[in-house]
Amino acid sequence: MQLQEAQEKFIQSWGTLGSHWGINRTMAQVHALLLISAKPLSAQEIMDALKISSGNANMNIRALIDWGLVFKELKPGERKEFFVAEKDMWEVIRKIIIQRKKKELEPVIKVLNDVSTVDENTPEAEEFVRVVQDIRLFAQKADSTLEGLVKSDQKWFVGTFLNMIK
Amino acid sequence: MQLQEAQEKFIQSWGTLGSHWGINRTMAQVHALLLISAKPLSAQEIMDALKISSGNANMNIRALIDWGLVFKELKPGERKEFFVAEKDMWEVIRKIIIQRKKKELEPVIKVLNDVSTVDENTPEAEEFVRVVQDIRLFAQKADSTLEGLVKSDQKWFVGTFLNMIK
DNA sequence: CACTACTTTCAAAAGGTTTTGAAAATACAA
DNA sequence: TTGTATTTTCAAAACCTTTTGAAAGTAGTG
């Protein structure tokens, strides 16, 4: 397979995957492009490579920087900005977990805590509290596991992960 | 807090969470409604409770059945169908993992395998293959871990999960 | 069979998200 | 300061997904 074809396939595929993971298609494609680039790219190069508008490029590069998946790099003597991707896959996963935990898991736990204060004075209320408690327990377990994972270093995670599959 | 308010909050919250997990809003709300219902509900009851159309209800109930998150229940002497949710949270997670693994992880692994056959005859090609191999390793590790998890029983998973956080 | 209750389909409408690109803002250089 | 390259903003347009609801289909009942 030719390099260019392979690169395009990879970018498409990463875009599709990203869109299922709270990262929009273009954002994931920009990340993919930077991942496989041997050198930092300018906004213009990204726009050209992916055939996207300046607004779109700007917005998604910014979001990637917010997520900690891309870094700005300034070259001495160059006015324009260049961008490089976080290439360590474990770091990438960690960064995504941090965002999603904050935006999804934590709000849900808050709601579960709130609603579990309902009075158990009818069979319906009992069933409700039972289900909510069950989910709450699970959510808290997931939360502390992910918290540990985020704080841990790479080696520990790889080791534990491998242990799981034995 | 009143039961009804708590139920509505829970359904909204589950809907929002679901929409980040490849389960559309309404589908997740139907699941939430059935989760906290002490008895099986008919399509009409679901339509009324969530104020959705028959087409919408039908489509999402079907999808939930496909995912194995909801079961059809027939009551003797009743013509209409009733529905109950899978209430075991570990089962719910397993069912979701099965779907997402099949629809997301497996296609990506296929693409990674394909594109890693590119010739390493330039620095760009070398960088590309290096990044792809790295991701491939990770993806395969994730795949086998999830496969193990899906095949495992609940206790093993809880145990391992807890061990991870120590 | 005809009637009725219920389920399913699907084209059109609504709703939501992403993208565009022109204009404005910024920042450096001369 | 003026000119130029670059980045940022944002309203409108394009695009994609979900929802509606009427009509068609299905199946049990008398």
Side-chain angles (χ1 to χ4, degrees):
Chain A
M1 191 183 299
Q2 291 303 303
L3 179 63
Q4 203 190 325
E5 186 195 349
Q7 287 177 325
E8 279 163 17
K9 272 198 183 183
F10 175 77
I11 290 170
Q12 287 310 314
S13 184
W14 203 243
T16 303
L17 182 66
S19 68
H20 292 285
W21 280 91
I23 293 174
N24 95 36
R25 220 185 124 69
T26 306
M27 186 172 160
Q29 289 182 343
V30 172
H31 183 240
L33 177 66
L34 292 172
L35 261 186
I36 60 179
S37 167
K39 61 176 182 49
L41 299 180
S42 67
Q44 189 62 56
E45 287 170 309
I46 293 170
M47 285 164 59
D48 293 345
L50 301 178
K51 300 204 180 68
I52 58 174
S53 68
S54 57
N56 198 5
N58 185 269
M59 181 184 184
N60 285 298
I61 292 169
R62 183 91 50 77
L64 285 164
I65 293 174
D66 283 349
W67 283 51
L69 293 173
V70 162
F71 309 101
K72 200 177 277 192
E73 203 169 286
L74 295 171
K75 294 194 186 178
E78 290 253 32
R79 186 185 301 186
K80 59 172 170 283
E81 298 171 322
F82 290 82
F83 305 96
V84 291
E86 170 62 64
K87 295 200 178 190
D88 177 337
M89 273 305 117
W90 291 106
E91 268 310 303
V92 170
I93 300 298
R94 276 192 55 216
K95 297 280 170 70
I96 293 172
I97 288 174
I98 289 169
Q99 296 291 327
R100 301 198 71 193
K101 184 164 124 53
K102 187 166 60 190
K103 284 200 281 197
E104 296 166 38
L105 191 56
E106 287 167 13
V108 154
I109 289 176
K110 193 183 170 317
V111 171
L112 291 172
N113 288 343
D114 288 355
V115 303
S116 63
T117 64
V118 76
D119 290 332
E120 294 181 59
N121 45 17
T122 62
E124 285 76 32
E126 264 180 49
E127 173 72 2
F128 179 77
V129 170
R130 222 171 46 67
V131 171
V132 168
Q133 291 291 16
D134 208 32
I135 296 172
R136 201 151 73 112
L137 204 74
F138 179 79
Q140 275 161 356
K141 210 174 282 175
D143 191 61
S144 44
T145 302
L146 293 175
E147 189 59 30
L149 194 150
V150 161
K151 287 189 177 151
S152 79
D153 66 355
Q154 181 180 333
K155 270 217 181 85
W156 175 88
F157 183 48
V158 179
T160 311
F161 221 53
L162 281 172
N163 286 344
M164 280 182 75
I165 62 169
K166 184 151 42 291
Chain B
M1 191 184 296
Q2 290 303 301
L3 178 62
Q4 203 189 325
E5 187 196 346
Q7 288 178 323
E8 280 163 17
K9 273 197 181 180
F10 175 77
I11 290 170
Q12 287 311 314
S13 184
W14 204 243
T16 304
L17 183 66
S19 68
H20 293 285
W21 279 91
I23 293 176
N24 94 34
R25 220 184 126 67
T26 306
M27 188 173 160
Q29 288 182 342
V30 172
H31 184 240
L33 178 66
L34 291 172
L35 261 186
I36 60 180
S37 167
K39 62 177 181 48
L41 299 180
S42 67
Q44 189 61 57
E45 286 170 311
I46 293 169
M47 286 164 59
D48 293 345
L50 301 178
K51 302 206 179 65
I52 58 174
S53 68
S54 57
N56 198 4
N58 185 269
M59 181 184 183
N60 285 297
I61 292 169
R62 182 92 50 75
L64 284 164
I65 292 175
D66 283 349
W67 282 50
L69 293 173
V70 162
F71 309 102
K72 200 176 274 192
E73 203 168 286
L74 296 170
K75 293 193 186 180
E78 290 252 33
R79 184 186 300 185
K80 58 174 171 285
E81 298 171 324
F82 290 82
F83 305 96
V84 291
E86 170 62 65
K87 296 201 177 189
D88 177 336
M89 273 307 116
W90 291 105
E91 266 311 302
V92 170
I93 301 299
R94 276 192 54 216
K95 298 279 170 70
I96 293 171
I97 289 174
I98 290 169
Q99 296 291 326
R100 302 197 72 192
K101 183 163 125 53
K102 187 167 61 192
K103 283 200 281 199
E104 296 166 37
L105 192 55
E106 287 166 15
V108 155
I109 289 176
K110 194 185 169 312
V111 171
L112 292 172
N113 288 343
D114 287 356
V115 301
S116 62
T117 63
V118 76
D119 291 333
E120 294 181 61
N121 44 17
T122 62
E124 285 77 30
E126 263 179 49
E127 173 73 2
F128 179 77
V129 170
R130 222 170 45 68
V131 171
V132 168
Q133 291 292 17
D134 207 31
I135 296 173
R136 200 150 73 112
L137 204 74
F138 180 79
Q140 275 161 356
K141 210 173 282 176
D143 191 61
S144 45
T145 303
L146 292 175
E147 190 59 30
L149 195 151
V150 161
K151 285 187 178 152
S152 79
D153 65 356
Q154 181 179 334
K155 270 217 183 82
W156 175 87
F157 183 46
V158 179
T160 312
F161 221 52
L162 279 172
N163 286 345
M164 281 183 75
I165 64 168
K166 181 152 47 294

